[in-house]
C-alpha cells in the first residue's frame, strides 16, 4: 500500500523529464514473484517513458530473440541491460521502486546484489525498496552513507505508524454509507476502529470493507465493530463465519473457491476457477456465475482483469493454516480434487492440438488460434502433477491406488499430447521439473511399481527430447518417437501417433543409455565441476569465474568473479549453503550459494610455499581445513565465524610429488582425515593429536570421505582403486578396482555397519567417471 501511494505521488509531482519505474512483487503469483519478472517490469517502464533506451534492449534481442526474456539466463541478460541503461550518460533523473521484496521467491539474492551494486552507480537514480523484516534481506541492503532505512514496525516506530493508520481510518470512515449524515456516530465508530486496529492497516481496511459489504444499518455499526475480534486471524475467522451463513449450498461453493484460490500455484482466471473449483455446471458454465460465487466470498477475494486474487498474503497463510480447520475438506484432498479435475479438463488433448499439420514448424512461427483450445486448461497442464505430489506427500495418502490409476491412465492415453501442449504454451521447463518431481516421489513406493516404471521412462523421454520439442512441438511425433530406444515404453504406447509418411526408421539402441542430459556452457573452457552434497547445485569453474547451476532446472543462478586464478577445487558445505574457493594469492573466499554474495574472506599461506591445496568444511560449517603441499604435508584449520586460524598440522609425506592433500571431517566432528602419497592420516579434532595412520598399498590417495555414521572411511587411491576402511578395527575391509580415473566419489546415505560389527549393509556406491 505504502509504495503504491509513493508511486502515485511521484507521478503527480515529478519534474518534466523525470522517469519513474516500479514493480510490485506478489508471492501468490508466479508471474510476479521472481527477479526476472522484476527486471522485465522495470526495463519496460523505463523504455516506455524514454524510447531512445530501446537500443540497449534491441542489441540483445537481435541476438537472442524471445529467449532474452524467458530462458534460464534471462536474469543475467536483463540485469546487463538495466545496468547499461542506468549508466547511459544521457539518462535522466529516475526513481526506481520495488515493493515486497520478501515476496520475491526466486533469484532474490541476485536481485538484492543488483540493487546494492547499482544503488550508488549514479546520483541521478534513486532507489526505494520495501520488505517485511527478514534478516537476509536487511543484511544485504545494509544502509551505507548514501542509503536510508525507514522501519514501519509497530515496535520500532509505533507513533508514526499509528498516526498513519489513524489518518487512513479517518478517510475511509467518511465513505461508509450507513454513517453518512451522522457525525456523532461517525466519530464514535472512528475511535473504536482506531482502538482495535492496533496500528494495522489491513485490519482497519477489512473492518471498514465488512461494514460496507454486509450493509450494516447505522444502529448496529458500533455493536458490529465491538464484536469483531482483534488481529487479522480473528477478522478472517469472522469473515468465514459470515460466509457460512449463506443459504443452501453456497457456503460449500465459497469454501471450495477459497481453498482452490489459496492452494493454487498462481492466480486463476474465472474460466480456470470454473474448471478447478468443482462448482456445479449450472454455475461454472458462465464466468458470470463463477464471479457471483467469488463475490460471496466477501473481502477474502478480489477480481482484477478477470483473475481471482486473495486480498493479502496473510489471507493465504490463514486459509491454508489455522483457518483450514473451519472447512469440511482436508487440504490434501483439495489438492487431489484439483489434480483430478485438471485431468478431466485435459481429456480433449490430441495430436496436433493447434492443427498445424507441418511437423517442421518452429514455435516462433506459431500463431495461437482464436479461440485457443488450450486456454482453459493452461493451469491444469502446468500444475496437475504438483497438486498430485502435494496430495501424495501426506503419508496417509501414499497407498491410494484408485487415484494413482487415474494418473496412470492419463499418462498412457494423453502423455504425448500433453508434452506437445507444454511446448505450445511455452512451459517446457515446468514439464521437466514436474515429471522429475513425480519420478523422485514414486521412487521408493513398491506398491506403485507399474506407474513408477512408466513415469521413469517418461522422464528419460523428456530429458532426451526437451530441447527438440520445445522448439518444434510437432517433432514430438517424429524425431522424438523414432529416435527413442526400441524398448522405450513411451515409444511402444504412442507409436500409433508417429507420422505415417516415415517409412524407413533409424536403427537405435534397445534401452536408455547412461547419458542423462547435457548442460551447455557456451564460449567457456570448464576446468572443474563439483556437485553440492544434496546434488541440487552444480558449480563449474572457468579460469577465475565460478558459475552455480540448479541441477533440476539447469538454470544458471549465480556467476561469481574471483578476480584471481583458482588454486584449489571449490567445495560446498554439508548443507550446500556455502561454497569455498582457494585462490592463487593464498586467500580463501566463501560465498553464500543462496544469494551469490561473498560472506567471508581470510587466510594467508605466505609462510610456506605451495602450488596447490584442497579445502574441506566440517559438517557444522564452523571449521574449514586446507591441505597443502610441501616437503611435509601441511593442513591448516580455520574458524570460519571468526576468520581466524585454529591449528596447523604437519605430517611426513611420501616421495611422490603431488600439489594437494585431500582432507575431510567426520560427520560426528570428532575426526579429521588427510590423504598423502602412501597413507591416510587421522587426527582427533578435540586434542588435534594423531589418532591413527592407515597404510594404502594402491598408490597416492586423492580423495577421502567419511560415512554418515563416521565409522567407515572411503578413499580413492592410485586414481582407480576404492578402499573401504573400518575405523573401529583400523583395517581395510574392501577394495574395488574402478579401471578408470574417478572425477567424483560419493556413497549411499544408508551406508552403515552390519549387526556383527564387521560387515557392511547396503554397500551401494555412486560412481561418476
Amino acid at each position: 500500500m505504502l509504495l503504491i501511494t509513493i508511486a502515485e505521488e511521484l507521478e503527480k509531482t515529478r519534474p518534466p523529464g523525470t522517469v519513474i519505474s516500479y514493480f510490485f512483487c506478489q508471492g501468490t503469483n508466479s508471474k510476479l514473484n521472481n527477479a526476472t519478472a522484476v527486471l522485465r517490469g522495470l526495463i519496460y517502464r523505463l523504455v516506455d517513458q524514454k524510447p531512445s533506451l530501446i537500443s540497449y534492449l534491441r542489441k540483445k534481442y537481435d541476438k537472442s530473440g524471445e529467449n532474452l526474456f524467458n530462458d534460464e539466463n534471462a536474469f543475467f541478460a536483463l540485469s546487463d541491460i538495466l545496468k547499461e541503461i542506468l549508466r547511459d550518460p544521457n539518462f535522466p533523473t529516475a526513481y526506481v521502486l520495488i515493493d515486497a521484496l520478501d515476496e520475491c521467491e526466486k533469484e532474490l539474492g541476485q536481485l538484492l546484489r543488483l540493487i546494492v551494486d547499482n544503488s550508488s552507480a549514479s546520483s541521478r537514480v534513486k532507489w526505494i525498496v520495501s520488505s517485511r523484516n527478514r534478516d537476509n534481506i536487511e543484511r544485504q541492503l545494509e544502509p551505507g552513507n548514501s542509503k536510508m532505512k525507514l522501519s514501519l514496525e509497530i515496535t520500532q516506530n509505533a507513533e508514526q505508524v499509528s498516526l498513519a493508520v489513524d489518518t487512513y481510518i479517518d478517510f475511509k470512515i467518511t465513505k461508509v454509507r450507513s454513517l453518512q449524515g451522522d457525525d456523532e456516530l461517525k466519530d464514535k465508530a472512528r475511535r473504536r476502529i482506531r482502538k482495535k486496529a492496533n496500528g494495522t492497516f489491513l485490519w482497519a481496511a477489512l473492518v471498514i470493507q465488512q461494514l460496507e459489504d454486509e450493509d450494516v444499518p447505522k444502529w448496529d455499526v458500533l455493536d458490529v465493530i465491538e464484536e469483531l475480534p482483534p488481529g487479522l486471524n480473528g477478522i478472517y475467522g469472522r469473515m468465514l463465519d459470515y460466509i457460512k451463513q449463506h443459504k443452501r449450498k453456497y457456503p460449500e461453493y465459497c469454501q471450495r473457491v477459497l481453498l482452490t484460490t489459496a492452494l493454487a500455484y498462481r492466480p486463476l482466471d474465472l474460466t480456470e476457477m470454473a474448471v478447478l473449483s468443482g462448482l456445479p455446471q449450472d454455475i461454472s458454465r458462465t464466468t458470470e456465475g463463477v464471479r457471483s460465487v467469488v463475490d460471496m466470498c466477501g473481502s477474502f477475494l478480489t477480481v482484477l482483469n478477470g483473475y481471482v486474487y486473495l486480498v493479502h498474503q496473510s489471507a493465504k497463510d490463514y486459509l491454508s493454516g489455522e483457518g483450514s480447520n473451519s472447512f469440511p475438506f482436508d487440504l490434501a484432498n483439495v489438492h487431489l480434487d484439483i489434480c483430478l479435475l485438471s485431468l478431466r479438463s485435459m481429456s480433449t488433448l490430441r495430436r496436433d492440438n493447434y492443427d498445424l499439420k507441418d511437423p517442421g514448424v518452429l514455435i516462433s512461427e506459431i500463431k495461437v488460434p482464436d479461440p485457443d483450445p488450450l486456454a482453459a486448461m493452461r493451469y491444469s497442464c502446468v500444475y496437475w502433477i504438483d497438486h498430485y505430489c502435494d496430495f501424495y506427500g501426506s503419508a496417509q495418502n501414499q497407498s491410494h491406488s484408485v487415484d494413482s490409476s487415474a494418473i496412470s491412465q492419463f499418462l498412457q492415453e494423453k502423455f504425448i499430447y500433453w508434452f506437445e501442449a507444454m511446448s505450445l504454451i511455452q512451459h517446457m521447463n515446468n514439464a521437466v521439473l514436474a515429471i522429475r518431481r513425480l519420478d523422485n516421489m514414486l521412487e521408493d513406493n513398491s506398491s506403485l511399481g507399474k506407474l513408477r516404471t512408466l513415469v521413469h521412462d517418461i522422464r528419460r523421454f523428456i530429458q532426451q527430447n526437451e530441447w527438440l520439442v520445445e522448439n518444434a512441438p510437432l517433432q514430438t511425433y517424429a524425431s522424438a518417437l523414432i529416435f527413442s530406444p526400441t524398448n522405450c515404453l513411451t515409444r511402444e504406447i504412442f507409436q500409433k501417433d508417429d507420422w505415417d509418411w516415415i517409412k524407413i526408421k533409424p536403427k537405435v539402441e534397445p534401452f536408455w543409455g547412461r547419458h542423462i542430459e547435457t548442460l551447455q556452457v557456451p564460449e567457456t573452457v570448464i576446468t572443474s565441476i563439483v556437485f553440492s552434497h544434496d546434488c541440487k547445485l552444480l558449480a563449474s569453474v572457468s579460469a577465475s569465474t565460478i558459475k552455480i547451476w540448479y541441477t533440476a532446472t539447469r538454470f544458471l543462478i549465480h556467476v561469481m568473479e574471483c578476480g584471481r586464478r583458482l588454486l584449489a577445487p571449490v567445495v560446498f558445505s554439508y548443507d550446500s549453503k556455502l561454497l569455498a574457493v582457494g585462490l592463487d594469492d593464498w586467500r580463501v573466499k566463501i560465498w553464500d550459494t543462496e544469494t551469490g554474495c561473498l560472506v567471508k574472506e581470510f587466510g594467508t599461506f605466505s609462510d610456506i610455499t605451495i602450488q596447490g591445496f584442497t579445502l574441506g568444511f566440517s559438517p557444522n560449517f564452523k571449521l574449514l581445513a586446507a591441505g597443502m603441499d610441501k616437503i611435509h604435508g601441511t593442513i591448516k584449520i580455520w574458524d570460519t565465524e571468526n576468520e581466524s586460524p585454529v591449528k596447523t598440522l604437519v605430517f611426513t609425506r611420501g616421495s611422490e610429488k603431488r600439489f594437494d592433500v585431500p582432507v575431510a571431517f567426520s560427520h560426528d566432528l570428532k575426526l579429521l582425515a588427510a590423504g598423502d602419497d602412501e597413507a591416510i592420516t587421522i587426527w582427533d579434532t578435540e586434542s588435534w593429536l594423531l589418532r591413527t595412520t592407515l597404510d594404502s598399498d594402491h598408490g597416492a590417495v586423492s580423495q577421502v570421505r567419511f560415512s554418515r555414521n563416521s565409522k567407515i572411511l572411503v578413499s580413492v587411491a592410485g586414481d582407480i582403486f576404492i578402499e573401504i576402511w573400518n575405523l573401529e578395527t583400523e583395517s581395510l575391509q574392501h577394495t574395488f578396482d574402478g579401471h578408470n580415473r574417478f572425477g567424483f566419489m560419493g556413497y549411499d546415505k544408508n551406508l552403515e555397519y552390519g549387526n556383527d560389527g564387521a560387515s557392511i549393509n547396503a554397500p551401494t556406491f555412486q560412481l561418476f567417471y
Side-chain angles (χ1 to χ4, degrees), residues 470-489:
E470 182 178 27
N471 289 277
L474 294 189
Q475 283 299 308
T476 306
Y477 312 103
S479 299
L481 282 176
I482 67 173
F483 284 105
S484 296
T486 52
N487 291 321
C488 164
L489 285 176

Side-chain angles (χ1 to χ4, degrees), residues 126-193:
K126 311 296 182 186
W127 291 77
I128 305 175
V129 299
S130 74
S131 170
R132 294 181 190 174
N133 273 0
R134 273 181 43 181
D135 289 342
N136 63 323
I137 295 177
E138 188 171 352
R139 208 166 43 242
Q140 292 184 68
L141 296 179
E142 193 169 17
N145 294 331
S146 60
K147 305 178 183 70
M148 182 180 70
K149 172 185 173 184
L150 173 64
S151 174
L152 297 180
E153 289 293 312
I154 292 285
T155 55
Q156 300 178 36
N157 224 335
E159 185 177 347
Q160 292 88 336
V161 174
S162 182
L163 179 61
V165 174
D166 288 349
T167 303
Y168 172 79
I169 293 170
D170 292 347
F171 171 74
K172 295 296 290 186
I173 205 74
T174 63
K175 306 296 182 181
V176 179
R177 289 188 301 272
S178 58
L179 298 179
Q180 301 301 317
D182 193 333
D183 292 340
E184 182 181 355
L185 181 58
K186 192 182 300 181
D187 187 57
K188 289 181 180 179
R190 177 190 295 111
R191 288 200 302 271
R192 294 196 185 186
I193 295 176

Side-chain angles (χ1 to χ4, degrees), residues 349-364:
L349 288 173
R350 56 184 175 83
R351 189 176 87 161
D352 194 3
N353 288 283
Y354 281 175
D355 292 322
L356 301 171
K357 296 182 174 59
D358 179 5
V361 65
L362 300 178
I363 190 67
S364 58

Side-chain angles (χ1 to χ4, degrees), residues 67-68 70-78 522 549 554-556:
N67 288 336
L68 173 65
N70 300 310
D71 74 4
E72 57 266 29
N73 296 317
F75 176 85
F76 298 99
L78 293 174
W549 314 75
R554 300 174 310 289
F555 281 3
L556 176 64

Side-chain angles (χ1 to χ4, degrees), residues 425-479:
I425 64 176
Q426 300 186 43
H427 276 280
M428 183 58 72
N429 189 59
N430 291 89
V432 175
L433 293 178
I435 288 294
R436 178 174 293 173
R437 182 184 181 189
L438 182 59
D439 186 35
N440 291 341
M441 186 185 70
L442 296 174
E443 185 176 8
D444 297 324
N445 193 325
S446 58
S447 66
L448 299 176
K450 290 184 178 179
L451 176 60
R452 183 180 59 185
T453 301
L454 175 60
V455 169
H456 187 71
D457 185 82
I458 286 173
R459 176 176 178 173
R460 296 301 304 271
F461 182 85
I462 289 179
Q463 287 173 329
Q464 175 169 294
N465 298 295
E466 173 195 356
W467 184 90
L468 171 69
V469 176
E470 182 178 27
N471 289 277
L474 294 189
Q475 283 299 308
T476 306
Y477 312 103
S479 299

Side-chain angles (χ1 to χ4, degrees), residues 93 135 193 232 375 378 509 541 544 628 652 663 680 749-750:
T93 299
D135 289 342
I193 295 176
L232 288 176
R378 281 177 179 256
E509 295 294 326
V541 178
S544 62
M628 295 161 283
T652 303
V663 292
I680 301 164
K749 63 184 179 181
N750 298 315

